[in-house]
């Protein structure tokens, strides 16, 4: 089993121009195709909504994610992942991280 190294914020900045983009993408990938909102990602990553919302918008403009629907009676907007090789890499990272966490717990 390979140890999964956390992706450092400086590496995220180097690749994506933002220190938190990889954290957001990995969290989205860990949902395994489920719909999500900016609030869900902000809560899960413990990043402020002011950081997460613009990153979600960048992913939307880049067509990495797509709009699903606005929750009736709320301001909540749901998104889902679009097919993309980057998501495959992020998904593999989350699978490896989960396996490492399980192995360390045993």
């Amino acid at each position: 089993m390979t140890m999964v190294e956390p992706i450092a914020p400086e590496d995220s900045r180097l690749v994506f121009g933002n220190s938190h983009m990889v954290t957001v993408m990995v969290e989205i990938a860990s949902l395994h195709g489920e719909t999500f909102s900016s609030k869900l990602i902000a809560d899960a990553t413990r990043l402020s909504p002011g950081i997460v919302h613009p990153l979600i918008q960048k992913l939307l403009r880049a067509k990495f994610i797509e709009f699903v629907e606005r929750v009736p009676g709320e301001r909540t907007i749901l998104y889902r992942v679009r097919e993309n090789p980057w998501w495959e890499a992020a998904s593999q990272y989350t699978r490896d991280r989960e396996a490492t966490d399980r192995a360390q717990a045993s």
Side-chain angles (χ1 to χ4, degrees):
M1 176 179 307
T2 305
M3 284 300 281
V4 179
E5 294 294 325
I7 298 171
E10 57 271 12
D11 292 336
S12 179
R13 180 179 276 306
L14 186 65
V15 174
F16 294 104
N18 184 284
S19 301
H20 304 293
M21 182 59 90
V22 169
T23 300
V24 168
M25 290 180 73
V26 167
E27 187 58 40
I28 291 169
S30 74
L31 298 172
H32 306 290
E34 297 292 320
T35 59
F36 62 91
S37 66
S38 290
K39 182 179 181 342
L40 177 75
I41 301 305
D43 290 348
T45 60
R46 296 186 179 152
L47 294 170
S48 78
I51 291 172
V52 173
H53 183 71
L55 297 178
I56 296 288
Q57 293 306 306
K58 284 183 179 186
L59 291 170
L60 186 63
R61 285 192 306 276
K63 297 182 172 49
F64 277 41
I65 61 174
E66 62 188 359
F67 169 82
V68 175
E69 67 179 337
R70 183 179 297 272
V71 176
E74 295 182 21
R75 295 178 57 193
T76 305
I77 298 173
L78 298 177
Y79 303 95
R80 77 172 147 239
V81 169
R82 295 184 70 192
E83 286 281 327
N84 184 304
W86 286 98
W87 291 120
E88 285 302 314
S91 294
Q92 183 62 49
Y93 176 85
T94 61
R95 286 190 296 271
D96 291 349
R97 185 181 65 180
E98 290 165 358
T100 299
D101 291 347
R102 280 192 304 274
Q104 289 174 347
S106 335

